Amino acid sequence: MIARPSPEAQIEDLSGVGPKSGPLFRELGVATPQALLEYLPFRYEDLRFPTPAADLGKSGGEENAVGRVVAVKERRARGLEIVEVHLVDDAGARFTAKWIGRNRYVYGRFREGMRLFVRGRIERNFSGPIVAVAHYEQLEESGDYRGDLQPVYPASKDLPTRKIAAVIRKNFSRLLGFAPLDAIPPSVAVSRGYAPLRESYRAVHLPEDPEEAARARERFVFAEFLIMATSAALRRLERERDHDARALRVPPDLLERFEGALPFELTGAQRRAIGEIWADMSRDVPTNRLLQGDVGSGKTLVAAAAVLLAASNGMQSALMAPTELLAWQHAEKLAPLLAPFGLGVETLFGSQSARARNAALAKLSTGEGALAVGTHALLTEGVEFDRLGLAIIDEQHRFGVEQRARLRAKALSPHTVHMTATPIPRTLAQSLYADLDLTIIDELPPGRTPIETFAVRGSRLPLVHEFIRKNVALGQQAYVVAPAIDESEDDATLTSAVAEAERLREEIFADLRVGLLHGRLPAREKDETMTRFVRGEIDVLVSTTVIEVGVDVANATIMVVLDAHRYGLAQLHQLRGRVGRGALRSYCILVYPDDASENGRLEILTRSTDGFLIADEDLRLRGPGQLAGTIQSGSSNLRFGDLLQDIDIYRGAKVVAERIVGSDPRLAQPEHAGLRAALAAEPSTRALLLSS
Ligand code: ADP
Ligand code: MG
């Protein structure tokens, strides 16, 4: 029986870790033996099987080869050392191993007759396969090669993955003594077919084969998701227990009156969304709902209906948007929807005059103003409401948790609705926003002219320019989106917005008004440029993706995206949503370089305008992780799992978490001790346990 080691053990206590490497481990966040045990590899290098030299180069990735040295060629050129070793493998086939660089350690080291293991990418030329060596080992002169599956750990320059692996291997049985309690209840581990915890640590750190390592990894991902889903379930439970929101009464004829004041009928999806939000708001539990709908799906109307319900119960509302321009557009759209009910909209911006601000503040503090629309300015101290009952937050991911909390703090416990125009497949959204209820508007209002979308090669840009010129002559406007701000950026092959604006201004559209917008401009200048575009004082707006979310310019009818092959489909769909905002026929032109082989993917956009379908395709094609740019999930603090890639594991964990919280909300049962310990270790979740 191993005595339970003291929790104060330090990383330096391990064999092979000294005063020099200890701090390097600490830099990677590994300060204790337990942390090292829990430090998992993110992939493996399979060194088990050498490829016969005759077959090298077929996989496209790194490959292994074993052979006997028959000749060594070495030279120095311009500070570089080039070492070429010719080998024959056991089947008698020839191959070459090549090192280029400052090879202090290999230069002069090889002799004829030595047996070597080499691993690297394969190049082929007329003389046969060449291994660009990333790793090699000198083998015993006789005997079989026996390689293993090498774990690759997150490493640093001074603490390479091989050193980490060596320390783990050397100390492994001791490390196992530091295993934490298992967060997965024993019955759950059994029903999911997981090996015992210690055995799983062995299988990830010292795997015999990739399948075993993958099964063990799943166990750790599941445990991580279980902790996350349990904390979401506890948060939800806590919220449900707070009966401190105002339960609003829904007048029976309210929907009819609301619709009666509109120039059109609500779509089925809008009616459903309003029903769900009103039902939430009629409970004394604070609403916490995410309203997700594609651009143009009519979320504004749904927001107006929520404001109307609050107002008919004598409560005020606040809508917060990430930029002034967006806030201003919301106010413009909401005012006519609310005016028939005698409800006024107050705006609060950083840039407005003191006089306008004071007038708005007065109306809010007396309760006369039914709705405040603004930016972060809504959060400042002088802003007081008489009876704030509803907070609407647009594009919630742009606000930090703290800012959201500050808005909510302006009322005791307001109902909260988050709005987003980023389509995320439902299953994903349910995981990413685990403690929000979800409403999806999956239907566009009828009678919209679909945006015509084309994918064209870069050599056809002159035609695109001609097309823009023709439409500008008709009084319309165009966006031209480029992926980089300026040429100093990492990737010189990307078109830069600054250079493109200059080129258009000077060479192509010298007679037109060309504007430039990108993220490094001061906020004031961005707002100013956008405002000029809205007013029609700019014909062609060259921009990076900063225009992505939410701005409506009905007169803008052309969206040109340069280097379209560099974007995800979902992001291109978002960009396309910037046009087609009015009655005019609109176009989206996706330009990709002549030598890029990307058009199959872009074709999806030319065929579909369904944001959810496109998001699904994007996920399927680009694989997980790539959506990160569009979603910015809370998954950044996940260590092992990837919510997108491991969505099925997450779903399983969520079901288990809800069952556990339902039956044992304090996690007091012995079989939940490990889960409880894991939650108690995190300050953010510890509080949930105490309050349960
Ligand atoms: P979102 O905010 O979801 O992008 P908006 O609320 O701005 O969409 O609505 C986009 C446009 O569609 C607006 O011009 C709006 O007046 C119009 N619209 C909204 N709902 C309907 C409907 N049910 N029928 C017809 N047009 C609608
Ligand atoms: Mg909108």
Side-chain angles (χ1 to χ4, degrees):
M1 165 106 204
I2 312 166
R4 203 170 165 73
S6 92
E8 290 90 57
Q10 298 299 309
I11 189 75
E12 286 83 358
D13 300 345
L14 295 174
S15 131
V17 185
K20 237 166 109 187
S21 54
L24 299 174
F25 275 98
R26 286 168 195 279
E27 266 170 38
L28 295 176
V30 180
T32 64
Q34 177 177 338
L36 185 61
L37 180 68
E38 294 182 279
Y39 198 68
L40 300 191
F42 60 94
R43 67 181 176 88
Y44 298 88
E45 274 184 357
D46 195 344
L47 308 186
R48 292 173 304 161
F49 312 109
T51 306
D55 294 337
L56 283 172
K58 290 187 180 153
S59 80
E62 290 194 346
E63 292 179 37
N64 309 318
V66 169
R68 190 170 45 78
V69 177
V70 291
V72 179
K73 283 189 206 158
E74 294 170 323
R75 63 198 153 92
R76 292 198 161 90
R78 277 177 289 150
L80 291 183
E81 287 157 350
I82 300 167
V83 177
E84 268 183 24
V85 175
H86 298 283
L87 302 108
V88 277
D89 72 2
D90 294 344
R94 297 179 69 96
F95 66 101
T96 304
K98 188 171 179 178
W99 289 256
I100 298 179
R102 290 183 179 76
N103 294 301
R104 278 179 297 139
Y105 302 106
V106 295
Y107 199 91
R109 170 164 190 162
F110 302 118
R111 307 268 173 275
E112 233 172 89
M114 278 181 177
R115 248 166 89 75
L116 296 183
F117 166 90
V118 291
R119 177 178 174 82
R121 287 191 173 279
I122 312 299
E123 302 154 13
R124 270 189 167 273
N125 74 4
F126 57 90
S127 71
I130 301 169
V131 182
V133 181
H135 169 65
Y136 79 94
E137 276 169 42
Q138 186 180 336
L139 304 174
E140 299 283 310
E141 303 257 324
S142 61
D144 285 340
Y145 166 72
R146 225 182 141 268
D148 52 16
L149 202 57
Q150 293 224 350
V152 181
Y153 295 92
S156 60
K157 200 169 114 284
D158 298 322
L159 188 60
T161 173
R162 272 166 212 286
K163 165 78 177 169
I164 299 169
V167 170
I168 291 177
R169 182 178 291 273
K170 204 164 177 188
N171 294 277
F172 195 70
S173 52
R174 190 162 166 216
L175 287 180
L176 273 188
F178 291 91
L181 287 177
D182 192 356
I184 305 178
S187 60
V188 175
V190 166
S191 71
R192 293 191 63 91
Y194 293 146
L197 181 60
R198 284 166 182 234
E199 173 54 23
S200 300
Y201 276 119
R202 205 272 310 144
V204 280
H205 287 299
L206 312 171
E208 313 241 294
D209 58 61
E211 294 73 32
E212 173 184 85
R215 275 197 306 276
R217 174 188 175 270
E218 181 186 320
R219 189 196 210 282
F220 292 105
V221 171
F222 183 85
E224 176 169 53
F225 284 168
L226 182 65
I227 293 165
M228 178 177 154
T230 303
S231 81
L234 287 172
R235 269 202 304 277
R236 180 183 288 271
L237 190 71
E238 187 190 38
R239 179 162 61 85
E240 296 276 315
R241 226 188 335 242
D242 286 345
H243 295 275
D244 59 354
R246 259 292 287 275
L248 306 183
R249 201 185 68 85
V250 183
D253 63 340
L254 192 63
L255 188 62
E256 208 178 305
R257 283 197 287 136
F258 180 61
E259 198 163 5
L262 296 172
F264 41 68
E265 280 184 21
L266 294 170
T267 64
Q270 283 171 323
R271 203 168 285 138
R272 202 171 345 105
I274 292 171
E276 284 174 3
I277 291 173
W278 281 4
D280 284 356
M281 292 168 69
S282 64
R283 303 195 322 150
D284 59 5
V285 171
T287 302
N288 200 27
R289 187 171 283 275
L290 175 66
L291 175 64
Q292 205 194 327
D294 211 343
V295 281
S297 60
K299 292 184 292 297
T300 311
L301 271 184
V302 177
V307 172
L308 179 61
L309 178 65
S312 52
N313 284 267
M315 305 295 283
Q316 295 169 289
S317 304
L319 185 154
M320 188 159 75
T323 67
E324 275 202 13
L325 191 68
L326 283 173
W328 178 76
Q329 289 202 333
H330 274 301
E332 294 274 294
K333 284 198 272 185
L334 284 163
L337 295 170
L338 296 170
F341 303 92
L343 304 176
V345 177
E346 312 307 320
T347 51
L348 281 174
F349 301 133
S351 70
Q352 78 195 139
S353 70
R355 186 200 182 94
R357 179 180 163 85
N358 288 336
L361 287 180
K363 285 190 178 162
L364 294 175
S365 65
T366 59
E368 186 193 338
L371 170 66
V373 177
T375 55
H376 301 79
L378 279 177
L379 300 175
T380 51
E381 282 198 356
V383 183
E384 271 168 34
F385 293 86
D386 181 34
R387 285 146 62 82
L388 180 61
L390 170 68
I392 301 173
I393 297 170
D394 189 27
E395 294 303 338
Q396 61 137 6
H397 56 271
R398 296 232 219 147
F399 288 106
V401 176
E402 188 209 343
Q403 290 167 322
R404 275 180 259 156
R406 265 164 72 193
L407 178 59
R408 285 206 297 262
K410 297 211 172 270
L412 260 181
S413 199
H415 297 289
T416 307
V417 174
H418 311 267
M419 296 202 291
T420 177
T422 308
I424 307 167
R426 176 182 289 274
T427 48
L428 271 181
Q430 268 162 352
S431 321
L432 291 172
Y433 307 108
D435 64 335
L436 297 183
D437 298 309
L438 184 64
T439 290
I440 291 184
I441 307 188
D442 52 4
E443 180 186 352
L444 292 185
R448 197 74 51 89
T449 325
I451 300 161
E452 286 192 41
T453 304
F454 308 95
V456 306
R457 292 190 179 279
S459 51
R460 314 201 52 143
L461 261 178
L463 292 176
V464 175
H465 293 148
E466 220 170 281
F467 186 67
I468 292 177
R469 181 178 290 286
K470 228 176 67 192
N471 281 268
V472 168
L474 295 172
Q476 298 168 21
Q477 293 160 281
Y479 295 99
V480 175
V481 172
I485 296 180
D486 54 40
E487 268 146 3
S488 69
E489 280 181 49
D490 298 349
D491 188 342
T493 64
L494 295 180
T495 309
S496 96
V498 171
E500 185 66 11
E502 203 175 290
R503 189 170 83 96
L504 293 182
R505 235 177 235 148
E506 279 165 19
E507 294 168 28
I508 304 196
F509 299 136
D511 51 332
L512 304 183
R513 297 165 298 178
V514 176
L516 171 66
L517 194 68
H518 61 73
R520 258 193 259 136
L521 294 173
R524 183 162 290 272
E525 192 173 334
K526 275 189 282 191
D527 260 3
E528 204 179 288
T529 301
M530 211 49 229
T531 306
R532 279 174 50 219
F533 190 66
V534 172
R535 290 206 199 109
E537 295 166 14
I538 289 174
D539 301 311
V540 179
L541 181 62
V542 181
S543 162
T544 54
T545 53
V546 290
I547 44 130
E548 206 174 319
V549 183
V551 174
D552 283 351
V553 181
N555 197 46
T557 55
I558 301 180
M559 165 62 66
V560 177
V561 184
L562 301 174
D563 294 331
H565 63 303
R566 301 302 290 261
Y567 295 88
L569 294 182
Q571 199 178 10
L572 290 170
H573 176 69
Q574 287 281 308
L575 287 169
R576 173 166 65 180
R578 297 299 102 230
V579 296
R581 310 298 295 183
L584 298 167
R585 175 172 283 284
S586 295
Y587 306 87
C588 174
I589 305 173
L590 306 171
V591 184
Y592 60 96
D594 286 33
D595 55 3
S597 55
E598 268 286 346
N599 46 346
R601 208 175 58 101
L602 299 179
E603 288 298 323
I604 294 168
L605 285 164
T606 66
R607 277 184 274 114
S608 175
T609 52
D610 178 340
F612 287 97
L613 184 145
I614 290 165
D616 275 336
E617 284 285 311
D618 205 25
L619 185 60
R620 196 175 60 73
L621 285 175
R622 296 210 302 165
Q626 300 294 320
L627 277 176
T630 28
I631 298 179
Q632 296 177 17
S633 66
S635 64
S636 55
N637 46 14
L638 288 174
R639 292 162 66 202
F640 315 133
D642 178 323
L643 274 176
L644 300 172
Q645 179 178 310
D646 303 316
I647 186 74
D648 289 331
I649 305 177
Y650 184 84
R651 262 184 238 137
K654 189 169 179 231
V655 171
V656 171
E658 278 163 6
R659 202 180 61 219
I660 291 174
V661 170
S663 69
D664 181 20
R666 311 186 77 103
L667 306 181
Q669 290 166 19
E671 84 154 4
H672 300 148
L675 190 53
R676 187 182 167 86
L679 288 167
E682 285 291 320
S684 60
T685 42
R686 188 161 42 225
L688 290 170
L689 287 173
L690 295 178
S691 69
S692 313

